[in-house]
Amino acid sequence: MKSKNPVLDKLYNLSGKPEECVDAYKDWAKTYDQDTVGGMNYVGPKISAKRLAELVEPDAAILDAGCGTGLAGVELAELGFKTIDGMDISPDMLGEARKKGPYRELQVEDMTKPLSYETDAYDGVVCVGTFTHAHVGPKGFNELIRVTKPGGPIVATVHEDVWPDGYEDHFKALEVDGRAKVKSISEEDYHVHKCKLVTLEAL
């Protein structure tokens, strides 16, 4: 897949193996914020944090899934959230997130596998930039729902290019199974691409 921006080409053309993601982000961690926020007008973290803040109070315990360098965590902290945990597949990206300071805990997790968190551990989840090319597919939502308390929101971006890859069907199946309810899906600016901003309610 050819991106509109050469910075994204390496990530968008990975094979999907977790170790490739780790290697790619190791190379990118130091300049990620500059390249995305500065170079691509990356607004995914801001719109996602704002949406989550509309649904839960600032004293809620939040998981920032696929937190990267911590951009969404910073946005959440600026909105008054104080209990934010972050996880990501890349230790190098987590290192950058740790420097920013908004997180209670940070740990390495692979969202293509079961997460180590307890069921119903969080009041809400935000996930920005992870449901994209060669990263995590629709089934990644299953674990985010599991770790969210019943009634809690899961707010996530889904890259416009991968949206046709079974997301709507998967959400319908989750509703049929009584695991989650779709609260809203909207098209939003993201960076040089657009995204779907998805809000689910854990059941």
Side-chain angles (χ1 to χ4, degrees):
M1 183 267 172
K2 184 70 175 176
S3 168
K4 298 177 184 177
N5 189 295
V7 176
L8 300 175
D9 281 345
K10 181 175 181 179
L11 290 177
Y12 286 2
N13 290 284
L14 298 176
S15 70
K17 295 179 180 178
E19 58 269 25
E20 287 191 349
C21 277
V22 172
D23 287 344
Y25 282 110
K26 182 175 184 177
D27 294 339
W28 199 15
K30 295 292 185 184
T31 62
Y32 180 87
D33 292 1
Q34 177 184 336
D35 291 341
T36 57
V37 178
M40 303 179 210
N41 191 32
Y42 185 35
V43 295
K46 183 180 290 292
I47 63 171
S48 301
K50 181 180 177 182
R51 175 61 175 152
L52 190 66
E54 294 170 352
L55 301 170
V56 291
E57 297 299 322
D59 62 353
I62 303 300
L63 177 64
D64 183 1
C67 66
T69 62
L71 295 173
V74 169
E75 296 290 346
L76 288 167
E78 290 180 355
L79 291 169
F81 289 88
K82 294 180 173 58
T83 307
I84 312 166
D85 291 342
M87 58 91 154
D88 197 271
I89 197 170
S90 167
D92 296 276
M93 297 288 271
L94 289 173
E96 297 301 312
R98 191 168 286 109
K99 296 174 186 177
K100 292 184 171 68
Y103 295 99
R104 177 180 65 176
E105 294 180 353
L106 289 164
Q107 64 189 51
V108 174
E109 296 278 348
D110 180 352
M111 286 179 58
T112 67
K113 300 176 181 178
L115 303 178
S116 67
Y117 301 102
E118 297 290 332
T119 298
D120 301 341
Y122 293 97
D123 298 302
V125 172
V126 67
C127 184
V128 185
T130 304
F131 294 101
T132 186
H133 298 278
H135 282 51
V136 180
K139 290 182 179 179
F141 276 94
N142 296 9
E143 280 291 279
L144 301 186
I145 293 164
R146 181 185 66 78
V147 304
T148 306
K149 294 176 183 177
I154 300 97
V155 176
T157 61
V158 179
H159 193 292
E160 62 178 348
D161 288 348
V162 303
W163 179 251
D165 296 346
Y167 283 89
E168 288 185 284
D169 287 343
H170 191 66
F171 296 150
K172 289 175 184 176
L174 290 170
E175 289 190 313
V176 169
D177 291 344
R179 298 170 67 180
K181 179 190 299 183
V182 176
K183 301 295 288 185
S184 66
I185 299 173
S186 59
E187 185 173 271
E188 305 287 346
D189 289 329
Y190 185 46
H191 44 49
V192 293
H193 297 268
K194 290 187 178 291
C195 71
K196 298 289 187 181
L197 183 64
V198 176
T199 304
L200 305 181
E201 178 185 330
L203 298 177

